[in-house]
Each structure stands twice: as structure tokens, then as C-alpha cells.
Amino acid sequence: MSFVQSSQEGSILTLTLNRPEALNALNAQVLADIDRALDAVDLASVRCVLFTGAGEKAFAAGADIAAMADMTPEEAAAFSRRGNAVFRRIETLPCPTIAAVNGYALGGGCELAMACDIRLCAENAVFGQPEVTLGITPGFGGTQRLMRLVGMGRAKELIYSARNVKAPEALSMGLVNGVYPAEELLPAAKKLAERIARNAPLAVRACKAAMSEGVDLPMDEAIDAEVRAFSGCFDTQDQKRGMQAFLNKQKNIEFQNN
Ligand code: DAK
């Protein structure tokens, strides 16, 4: 049995953390199951991956505190490396990812959402990095990704104070891109995923690669990343399809992933 449910509709793959009795807390098995689900992503047919949580209360309430309570520093380092490796895989997945945050996204749950390209949330969502209240630091990328998303000052305030942020504030600081009534969250996330999936998939992936690579580079090197992404598109049939369709005034073109 897996703690991650995988279901594909068309080219949209939804991965649902499925451990609702512990608010989808991330233990070693959940991380291994996410890793396995990522192994199974077939980029020939998947154009966007959605992450969400089972149940009405939580996306993920963090790393599993019971599992961490008695870890030695060596075990903690291994757990952190493991979680970081899985989240980095999510972040570097070639196709776009969307977190549909349906409730608590605390600690590792917030970090999982931040490893995705785009975050949408339900009105009941709560974000936070409560680790310092437990005597630890964020361990799955929170000290690094939060400041990149909301700026250094806000990230430091939230991480040092362990203050939780509700959906409207998360929206105002750019941590999420949209807030929806709970029942409209998944449909909205799927609608966005479908809109992304209608575009040339290799071009979308090249945009992701250029932005992900460029964000930490000096501008001249970042622009080189864009030149590589842009020129690479001219090796694809989809560039020819897309431009010919425009020139022929043809609408609703189907891109082919090549
Ligand atoms: N871990 C394990 N179990 C959890 C959990 C968690 N993070 N969060 C909730 N649960 C479990 C509860 O223990 C409870 O289980 P039972 O008692 O029913 O068996 C069940 O889920 C329902 O939770 P509550 O009864 O507490 O539900 P409430 O609605 O009253 O409260 C809550 C919801 C989300 C406010 C509350 O559960 C809560 O505060 N949860 C903990 C949130 C939290 O502190 N999360 C951050 C975890 S720390 C690192 C690696 C990773 C990390 C750090 C370092 N290294 C190795 C360096 C990451 C750390 C974290 O994510």
C-alpha cells in the first residue's frame, strides 16, 4: 500500500498524499512513495503534475514529528538529505508542477508546496514553518525556498517567529497565486494545468529550465540560459507547427511533444 495516490486524466497527473489520519505528515515511507510516484512519471504523456493532500484538513502538516523525535544527528542528516533529494526531484521535474494546498501546509508541507512551480490554495489553507518551536530548523529546503518566493525580510520573520499565515496573507505576499473555496480548488488547479498542457510541452519545459537555471545566476549567464532554451525550440516540430499555424491563421493547434 502506498501513501501516494496517483491518477492521470489526459495529460494531467495528480499525486495525492494519502495519510489523512496523520494530516499527511511526511515520514520515510511517504517520501519513498513520492519518489516512486516520480519514477513513474511518463513525460511522453504527462504535461503537468498536481500535488494535493487527502482529506479536508491538510495538504501536509509537516515532517512526521513522532518519527523524528528520537533521531540522532546522523539519522536527522540522513532524513533531511532524503527529503531534500525528493523535493529537489519535484523542483527539477522537467514538466510544470502545481501544489493545490487544501488546508495545513506546515513545515515539510509548506516546503513541499514551495518545491512546486505554482501554488494555489483553499480558503482554509494555513502556511508556516513552525520548526523552531520544536527545537529544529526547517529541513526540507524552507530556509532557502521561502526567501526566494517572498523575500528575505518576510522569510526571516516567518521562520524566526514560527508565525502561521492564512490564505489571504499568503496571497498578498506571493506565496500562493490564487485562493479558492475548498470545493473549487482542485477544479481550478486542473483548469490551470489543462491550460498549460495545451501549449507546446517542450517549449513549456524549456521555459521552466531557463527560469530555474537563471534565477541564481548573474544576468549575463542567465540570459545565456534563455538563449539556449530559445534556440533549442527551433529543433522541434512543435515550433514549426506553432508558427505555421499562426501564419495560416489556424486556431486550436495540437502540439505533439516533439
Ligand atoms: N507529525 C506527525 N503527526 C502529526 C503531525 C506531524 N507533523 N501533524 C499532525 N499529526 C497527527 C496528530 O498527532 C494527530 O494524530 P492522533 O493524535 O490523532 O493520532 C493527527 O495528526 C491529527 O492532528 P491534531 O489532532 O493535532 O489536529 P488539529 O486539528 O488539532 O491540529 C495542526 C492541526 C496541524 C495545527 C496540528 O496537528 C499541528 O500543529 N501539527 C504539527 C505541525 C508542525 O509542527 N509541523 C511541522 C513539523 S516539523 C529536518 C527534516 C525535516 C524537517 C526539519 C528538519 N532535518 C532532518 C534536519 C521538517 C520539519 C517539520 O516539518
Side-chain angles (χ1 to χ4, degrees), residues 207-223:
C207 293
K208 174 167 176 170
M211 285 189 269
S212 302
E213 189 183 339
V215 68
D216 293 320
L217 292 177
M219 188 54 93
D220 287 330
E221 291 171 43
I223 291 294

Side-chain angles (χ1 to χ4, degrees), residues 15-252:
L15 299 180
T16 305
L17 302 183
N18 189 20
R19 199 188 168 211
E21 66 286 358
L23 304 187
N24 303 318
L26 305 162
N27 62 15
Q29 194 193 326
V30 177
L31 293 174
D33 289 344
I34 296 173
D35 212 23
R36 257 191 295 277
L38 295 175
D39 286 338
V41 174
D42 172 16
L43 288 170
S45 71
V46 172
R47 294 190 182 183
C48 190
V49 178
L50 294 184
F51 285 87
T52 193
E56 285 159 15
K57 272 180 80 172
F59 176 70
D64 190 313
I65 298 168
M68 286 191 296
D70 296 322
M71 280 180 185
T72 63
E74 293 72 28
E75 288 165 340
F79 185 60
S80 180
R81 267 196 291 275
R82 182 93 191 91
N84 271 306
V86 173
F87 286 16
R88 188 81 182 118
R89 270 194 88 186
I90 294 170
E91 186 169 51
T92 58
L93 204 65
C95 68
T97 52
I98 300 174
V101 178
N102 56 315
Y104 289 109
L106 299 177
C110 187
E111 291 167 309
L112 173 59
M114 292 192 293
C116 294
D117 292 314
I118 297 166
R119 284 148 295 286
L120 305 181
C121 76
E123 286 167 344
N124 71 338
V126 178
F127 296 84
Q129 298 289 161
E131 286 84 352
V132 293
T133 69
L134 299 165
I136 57 175
T137 68
F140 294 154
T143 59
Q144 304 309 313
R145 291 194 182 98
L146 186 58
M147 65 186 179
R148 284 168 167 79
L149 276 169
V150 304
M152 180 79 87
R154 281 199 173 111
K156 285 184 169 171
E157 180 213 325
L158 294 180
I159 290 175
Y160 298 169
S161 69
R163 180 169 74 80
N164 286 346
V165 167
K166 292 184 178 164
E169 190 180 356
L171 181 65
S172 76
M173 66 172 64
L175 184 53
V176 299
N177 295 18
V179 180
Y180 301 86
E183 65 283 3
E184 291 172 25
L185 173 64
L186 262 190
K190 285 182 181 167
K191 193 168 164 200
L192 174 60
E194 276 154 15
R195 186 178 173 129
I196 291 170
R198 281 200 293 277
N199 296 323
L202 298 181
V204 171
R205 285 183 217 165
C207 293
K208 174 167 176 170
M211 285 189 269
S212 302
E213 189 183 339
V215 68
D216 293 320
L217 292 177
M219 188 54 93
D220 287 330
E221 291 171 43
I223 291 294
D224 285 343
E226 182 174 277
V227 170
R228 283 194 299 280
F230 178 74
S231 57
C233 293
F234 287 78
D235 251 346
T236 69
Q237 291 303 310
D238 277 346
Q239 175 266 328
K240 292 168 191 27
R241 282 182 196 106
M243 291 194 176
Q244 277 311 316
F246 176 82
L247 295 173
N248 296 336
K249 303 198 183 305
Q250 193 189 330
K251 296 247 187 273
N252 298 327

